[in-house]
Amino acid sequence: MRRTPVGRQTRARGIPEATVARLPLYLRALTALSERSVPTVSSEELAAAAGVNSAKLRKDFSYLGSYGTRGVGYDVEYLVYQISRELGLTQDWPVVIVGIGNLGHALANYGGFASRGFRVAALLDADPSVVGSTAAGLPVRHMDELESIVDSQQVSIGVITTPPGAAQQVCDRLVEAGVTSILNFAPTVLTVPDGVDVRKVDLSIELQILAFHEQRKSGEEPEEGRPAEEPARERAPGPVRAAAAKLRRAAGAAKDAKELGENDRQAVLPA
Amino acid sequence: MRRTPVGRQTRARGIPEATVARLPLYLRALTALSERSVPTVSSEELAAAAGVNSAKLRKDFSYLGSYGTRGVGYDVEYLVYQISRELGLTQDWPVVIVGIGNLGHALANYGGFASRGFRVAALLDADPSVVGSTAAGLPVRHMDELESIVDSQQVSIGVITTPPGAAQQVCDRLVEAGVTSILNFAPTVLTVPDGVDVRKVDLSIELQILAFHEQRKSGEEPEEGRPAEEPARERAPGPVRAAAAKLRRAAGAAKDAKELGENDRQAVLPA
DNA sequence: TAGATTGTTAATCGATTAACAATC
DNA sequence: TAGATTGTTAATCGATTAACAATC
């Protein structure tokens, strides 16, 4: 059992990961209040705006410190600042985006980057026919420039929007160049050394989770795959034959599965 | 304390939410093995491919049933089928995408849709200058057609890729039309009636979580926001003045916060 | 039979929640 | 002072993990 906190499991300064993941939600809600010049907000109101319950919000805030006032609530501007600081948004974060396809374009145009201290340091692609074009007013540069860009602009965050086949290779180069945080849009399990954080955004997975619940709503629970009682299966002498037996049992099933099974090499969002 | 399982908290058929979220990962790894015609796989091998540990994988599979063979491992084709069935991927899921901007385009072109039983039933947009164009070979249709499309094609899943200002309104129309699962790319907290599932994909939040950890790696922990000891604050007679005092204390902070705070109205990925 | 690997148990850990004392 | 609301406690719940008996 690992006791040394590492990577995403880290509870830096005692702030639980689940709390960290909600801080951006609170920040967004607070920013909206700030723009409406609302001076203070109660945990109840803010929780409603962020879509959580107020007990959770107060618990979350308690990890940051006592920034509220009993009987009054929280000062909006003060909390905006404290959360921004806690999240590291009071500094500039240069980001490279690798793989300028449809999704890369979409991200390059994403206005939310700049507003949160994230600055697009460069757009990179390996395809010569893409290199030299512009996206969101920035030139697409060749992958060969990756190392010099990361080095000269002190880039520590990389976004991967390549096809899945290229993702690990791109990841390796990013890490080698000095990037220590990666946001991966390719449907690939990335292997990284200790000390490098990877977060994953995967449309396919989200849709599949929705489908799981949707299936149950319509009352069409999938029928049991295994028989109610153990069938009199042929005794097989060794492991290989045991597996073969199971394969036979699954024969009809496999046919169906084939229809879905192919095609996992595609990008979540092809570049 | 709520005892009736509802929405995403549901543990349908006793399968924990955390397990459901990993099933697509296993399915992806299994599909890759299937394509390489690998007949069986051990929990250890499959776990490595999926990026989890083997104890977790075996525990996850135990919720589905006993699909492995002791001493042998799991039959790849059989598991592919069982997981597909469990996730509801053995049926067709028509999906509408609302908001055909950069991101909407990217999603429309996403090959992973079809391969998992998800079929783009329609692309919709409210902007007349976008309606009529094509994306991924499909015509962009006007929002006014939403209801008839959802109804005639039995659409139960909707993807929102609109600017945040339009998201709730679009969501309401989707729900009203009969959609009961929503994948939301807009940085908006959506309110939906019971029985409707919402999942959220938010680039901004992912980047902020990375920034939080990145900040700690560089050893630049943010200095404490509140003083080490309680300052001799002016006694204020009522709540309003107490809040005002806090505001004053936060004055310097607020200036900084302003630089980050604006701009939350933008789309995660503007359409 | 011997080796391999599953399926399950039980311990532990982390997250959520209601409730309420503290206090503005 | 009376009302409001925070910050914290403690109970509960869900998820993770190591270990190992079961069994192929």
Side-chain angles (χ1 to χ4, degrees), chain A residues 22-244:
Chain A
R22 280 187 295 265
L23 291 182
L25 285 178
Y26 302 142
L27 183 56
R28 174 172 293 155
L30 284 163
T31 303
L33 292 170
S34 171
E35 284 167 354
R36 289 168 41 211
S37 299
V38 175
T40 60
V41 66
S42 70
S43 61
E44 201 68 56
E45 293 165 323
L46 184 54
V52 303
N53 76 46
S54 64
K56 193 184 285 181
L57 177 143
R58 287 197 301 278
K59 185 84 166 127
D60 284 341
F61 284 0
S62 76
Y63 293 111
L64 307 183
S66 297
Y67 294 155
T69 304
R70 286 168 148 103
V72 178
Y74 299 91
D75 180 88
V76 171
E77 297 297 327
Y78 189 55
L79 249 193
V80 164
Y81 171 71
Q82 291 298 346
I83 294 178
S84 294
R85 191 177 51 85
E86 199 64 53
L87 285 171
L89 305 182
T90 51
Q91 58 182 286
D92 184 60
W93 293 107
V95 168
V96 291
I97 302 176
V98 184
I100 311 303
N102 279 310
L103 180 59
H105 259 96
L107 299 192
N109 279 298
Y110 171 38
F113 262 128
S115 71
R116 290 262 170 274
F118 300 101
R119 176 173 57 80
V120 179
L123 307 176
L124 297 167
D125 205 294
D127 183 345
S129 70
V130 175
V131 173
S133 66
T134 67
L138 291 168
V140 178
R141 299 164 74 174
H142 193 270
M143 271 299 285
D144 288 348
E145 300 190 60
L146 186 149
E147 286 78 10
S148 68
I149 290 166
V150 167
D151 190 55
S152 65
Q153 303 205 38
Q154 303 261 61
V155 175
S156 55
I157 300 178
V159 178
I160 299 180
T161 47
T162 66
Q168 181 63 61
Q169 191 182 335
V170 165
C171 175
D172 291 344
R173 277 188 71 177
L174 285 168
V175 170
E176 180 61 32
V179 167
T180 46
S181 288
I182 289 172
L183 183 53
N184 181 30
F185 285 84
T188 307
V189 176
L190 295 180
T191 303
V192 293
D194 276 3
V196 176
D197 272 329
V198 176
R199 293 192 67 87
K200 178 183 56 183
V201 175
D202 194 322
L203 165 70
S204 173
I205 286 178
E206 298 302 322
L207 279 179
Q208 289 173 61
I209 295 170
L210 283 178
F212 173 86
H213 293 298
E214 192 62 39
Q215 175 176 234
R216 270 147 195 80
K217 283 180 207 164
S218 37
E220 296 172 27
E221 310 226 340
E223 69 279 11
E224 274 294 330
R226 51 177 173 167
E229 53 185 290
E230 198 60 19
R233 240 196 281 174
E234 54 275 76
R235 282 279 155 201
V240 174
R241 296 205 61 85

Side-chain angles (χ1 to χ4, degrees), chain B residues 3 9 20 22-23 28 30 38 53 62-63 67 73 103 107-108 111 124 130 152-153 162 173 181 198 208 248 264 271:
Chain B
R3 300 226 167 252
Q9 306 293 5
V20 171
R22 281 188 295 266
L23 292 181
R28 176 173 291 155
L30 284 163
V38 176
N53 76 46
S62 76
Y63 293 111
Y67 294 155
L103 181 59
L107 299 191
L124 298 167
V130 175
S152 65
Q153 304 206 39
T162 66
R173 276 188 72 176
S181 289
V198 176
Q208 289 174 61
R248 255 171 279 138
D264 223 314

Side-chain angles (χ1 to χ4, degrees), chain A residues 12-13 28 31 85-86 89 110 116 180-181 199 202 206 214 216-217 221 223 260-261 264 268, chain B residues 12 28 31 85-86 89 110 115-116 180-181 199 202 206 214 216-217 221 223 260-261 264 268:
Chain A
R13 290 197 356 147
R28 174 172 293 155
T31 303
R85 191 177 51 85
E86 199 64 53
L89 305 182
Y110 171 38
R116 290 262 170 274
T180 46
S181 288
R199 293 192 67 87
D202 194 322
E206 298 302 322
E214 192 62 39
R216 270 147 195 80
K217 283 180 207 164
E221 310 226 340
E223 69 279 11
L260 323 152
D264 222 314
V268 169
Chain B
R28 176 173 291 155
T31 303
R85 191 177 52 84
E86 198 64 52
L89 305 182
Y110 172 38
S115 72
R116 291 261 171 275
T180 47
S181 289
R199 292 192 68 87
D202 194 323
E206 299 301 323
E214 192 62 39
R216 270 146 195 81
K217 283 180 206 163
E221 308 225 341
E223 69 278 9
L260 322 153
D264 223 314
V268 168

